[in-house]
Amino acid sequence: MRNTLVLFACFFLVACGSDRTRPGNHGGSNADGSFSGDGGIASGDGCSDQAKLVYVVDENNTFSSFKPDTLTLTDIGTLKCPAQFGATPFSMSVDRTATAWVLYNSGEVFKVNTQTLACSKTSFAQSNGFVNFGMGFVANMAGATDDTLFVAGGQPMTGLGTANATLATLDVSSLNVTTIGQINGWPELTGTGDAKLWGFFPDATNPRVSQLDKMSGQEGKSYPLASLSGQPMAWAFAFWGGDFWIFLQRSSDSNTHVYHLKSSDGSVSDVIDATGRTIVGAGVSTCAPITIG
């Protein structure tokens, strides 16, 4: 997710960001129109190995997988979704078939095969005033194989601290938005296989990760992140293995840093300080492990 003071300034100039040397493996294709997401062999929970990874996308459309246990970023290829007016990715989530749902800053949502990067534009039409938003799939019950896509946002931001987001659900069949309530801030979201919804709130003075009530949007358990204070420029967020993974670039940073937030004690580590890219979206399905070991 990008601060739209920056996003929309470059949006109407067609291109955002500059080329960077990126670590990882390059390649991939856009030839396959399939969205089965069935790469790898499904385990007893019905999830493929691909569905258990974190995926990220940067401002230049580079799409990558991320393995938190080995801190490995592997480039899959470049997204070529036919977004309007040179729009760029804004946010992302991933479902249990390892299909990425990618929101562009134009308000368009595409479904992307995470193996081939083939794009399929959805009929999402900026429902109920939702144009830019964070999003995350959350299991409907602990251990359930069905889930719900939660979104938090609204009209394009004019700057952090000037607007609060609206929490809602996005029906993946009808693509209709159902409003839940207001949130104090504008978070990126992630969900878990044990039916919990979490938000990362980037903020110059009060950054935090908080559990959100799925019925009201109220904040519950919270991890203050004073060490991540500073003006945020791009951010993304994912849960994996019982912990949280924050992708953040502040105005003082030349690229995105990856931070590991341990849920056990709230400690934060800067585990990758030179990604060589500006990450604007991260997605993980409810197939991701809740604990390790």
Side-chain angles (χ1 to χ4, degrees), residues 25-105:
N25 301 324
H26 298 262
S29 71
N30 266 9
D32 189 340
S34 168
F35 290 92
S36 63
D38 58 358
I41 299 173
S43 58
D45 56 8
C47 297
S48 67
D49 291 341
Q50 281 70 26
K52 298 177 181 180
L53 297 172
V54 177
Y55 294 91
V56 299
V57 64
D58 75 8
E59 66 176 1
N60 292 320
N61 287 288
T62 299
F63 193 93
S64 313
S65 65
F66 175 61
K67 284 180 60 65
D69 53 341
T70 60
L71 300 179
T72 304
L73 272 168
T74 301
D75 291 349
I76 298 171
T78 302
L79 287 185
K80 297 180 180 178
C81 300
Q84 298 178 345
F85 310 118
T88 56
F90 185 84
S91 182
M92 179 171 70
S93 191
V94 175
D95 66 27
R96 291 176 67 88
T97 69
T99 297
W101 293 65
V102 182
L103 170 71
Y104 279 69
N105 58 5

Side-chain angles (χ1 to χ4, degrees), residues 21-236:
T21 301
R22 303 178 177 92
N25 301 324
H26 298 262
S29 71
N30 266 9
D32 189 340
S34 168
F35 290 92
S36 63
D38 58 358
I41 299 173
S43 58
D45 56 8
C47 297
S48 67
D49 291 341
Q50 281 70 26
K52 298 177 181 180
L53 297 172
V54 177
Y55 294 91
V56 299
V57 64
D58 75 8
E59 66 176 1
N60 292 320
N61 287 288
T62 299
F63 193 93
S64 313
S65 65
F66 175 61
K67 284 180 60 65
D69 53 341
T70 60
L71 300 179
T72 304
L73 272 168
T74 301
D75 291 349
I76 298 171
T78 302
L79 287 185
K80 297 180 180 178
C81 300
Q84 298 178 345
F85 310 118
T88 56
F90 185 84
S91 182
M92 179 171 70
S93 191
V94 175
D95 66 27
R96 291 176 67 88
T97 69
T99 297
W101 293 65
V102 182
L103 170 71
Y104 279 69
N105 58 5
S106 56
E108 300 167 278
V109 176
F110 292 84
K111 294 173 68 175
V112 176
N113 185 307
T114 54
Q115 292 180 273
T116 67
L117 302 192
C119 293
S120 174
K121 185 176 179 178
T122 73
S123 60
F124 178 76
Q126 303 181 12
S127 177
N128 287 358
F130 275 76
V131 179
N132 292 159
F133 46 86
M135 51 184 171
F137 282 94
V138 186
N140 292 333
M141 294 178 59
T145 58
D146 58 331
D147 50 25
T148 298
L149 180 57
F150 284 81
V151 297
Q155 294 293 330
M157 292 178 292
T158 56
L160 290 175
T162 64
N164 292 330
T166 299
L167 182 67
T169 58
L170 174 58
D171 187 303
V172 297
S173 297
S174 67
L175 297 177
N176 291 327
V177 170
T178 301
T179 299
I180 295 172
Q182 294 296 303
I183 299 176
N184 185 24
W186 194 293
E188 184 56 273
L189 302 179
T190 192
T192 71
D194 60 353
K196 295 176 182 177
L197 175 65
W198 294 84
F200 166 56
F201 293 78
D203 189 87
T205 59
N206 184 33
R208 64 199 183 277
V209 165
S210 298
Q211 186 175 353
L212 300 176
D213 188 299
K214 294 186 292 184
M215 301 300 292
S216 67
Q218 291 186 342
E219 292 184 51
K221 182 176 182 179
S222 185
Y223 298 92
L225 303 172
S227 63
L228 302 190
S229 298
Q231 183 61 45
M233 301 299 292
W235 60 94

Side-chain angles (χ1 to χ4, degrees), residues 274-289:
T275 61
R277 64 192 77 197
T278 295
I279 293 173
V280 295
V284 63
S285 83
T286 55
C287 289

